[in-house]
Amino acid sequence: MIFSERLKSEREKKGWSQAELAEKIHVSRQSVSKWETGKNYPSIEVIMDLSDLFGITIDELLRSDAELKEKVIKDSKQLAHPRWKLLFDSMFLVGAFLLVSKIFIIALNYFLGTQFLIFEGVPRFMANFLPLILMVAGGIGSDALKDKYLE
């Protein structure tokens, strides 16, 4: 039995209309109708709510519907590690900001004769390579997560 048939069967066992089910899981009646006709699928959060509401496992809802299983797997990969991706993206942006700042200060010193110091008190190695290291590490980490979780 595919998901749409299973959903309709479970709803009818409870004696609920599409509108009543929609109200219980806080979606529109049209959403329930689309799920029951196979035109659309619910998110993983809604599938969990349906599972709890009907007293059946998520596996029982999804087992026979390959297309829905693929959607759930894809959705879960997209949600897998957004904090890590955010960290790596932030590292890249901080590195890019530091690099642009350094180039701007060097340009000011050269063209306007100012005497701004770059990262005073920071070891020269760190001042020269930290932006590059942050950009490379952030880019590699972000790309690895994208490849791993957004296939």
Side-chain angles (χ1 to χ4, degrees):
M1 182 180 295
I2 62 172
F3 175 78
S4 58
E5 294 168 356
R6 182 67 188 251
L7 177 63
K8 185 174 181 178
S9 168
E10 292 296 329
R11 177 181 61 79
E12 289 173 345
K13 280 183 195 175
K14 297 279 188 180
W16 297 332
S17 67
Q18 288 181 342
E20 290 171 319
L21 175 59
E23 186 178 316
K24 293 180 185 307
I25 57 174
H26 311 290
V27 298
S28 68
R29 185 206 54 79
Q30 291 84 356
S31 293
V32 173
S33 174
K34 287 179 182 179
W35 301 337
E36 288 187 357
T37 58
K39 292 180 182 172
N40 202 351
Y41 291 112
S43 68
I44 186 63
E45 293 88 0
V46 172
I47 292 170
M48 291 167 50
D49 289 343
L50 290 168
S51 168
D52 291 341
L53 195 60
F54 294 136
I56 58 176
T57 66
I58 293 173
D59 187 54
E60 290 174 300
L61 275 173
L62 304 181
R63 175 65 62 187
S64 60
D65 196 326
E67 188 177 333
L68 180 57
K69 275 196 300 193
E70 284 300 315
K71 180 192 181 299
V72 169
I73 290 168
K74 183 178 179 192
D75 287 353
S76 67
K77 284 182 177 182
Q78 288 178 337
L79 299 173
H81 288 293
R83 288 185 181 156
W84 282 106
K85 180 129 176 43
L86 180 64
L87 172 72
F88 287 122
D89 289 345
S90 299
M91 283 174 56
F92 181 83
L93 290 174
V94 167
F97 175 77
L98 290 174
L99 183 63
V100 169
S101 299
K102 184 174 179 176
I103 291 170
F104 182 73
I105 291 170
I106 289 171
L108 282 177
N109 287 344
Y110 182 78
F111 292 112
L112 299 180
T114 59
Q115 296 298 317
F116 292 118
L117 295 175
I118 301 174
F119 308 118
E120 184 178 355
V122 176
R124 185 172 288 278
F125 175 80
M126 290 282 288
N128 288 334
F129 292 105
L130 182 63
L132 180 63
I133 291 168
L134 286 172
M135 288 176 65
V136 169
I140 290 171
S142 181
D143 191 54
L145 287 177
K146 174 185 68 82
D147 290 345
K148 186 172 183 180
Y149 295 105
L150 298 180
E151 294 174 338

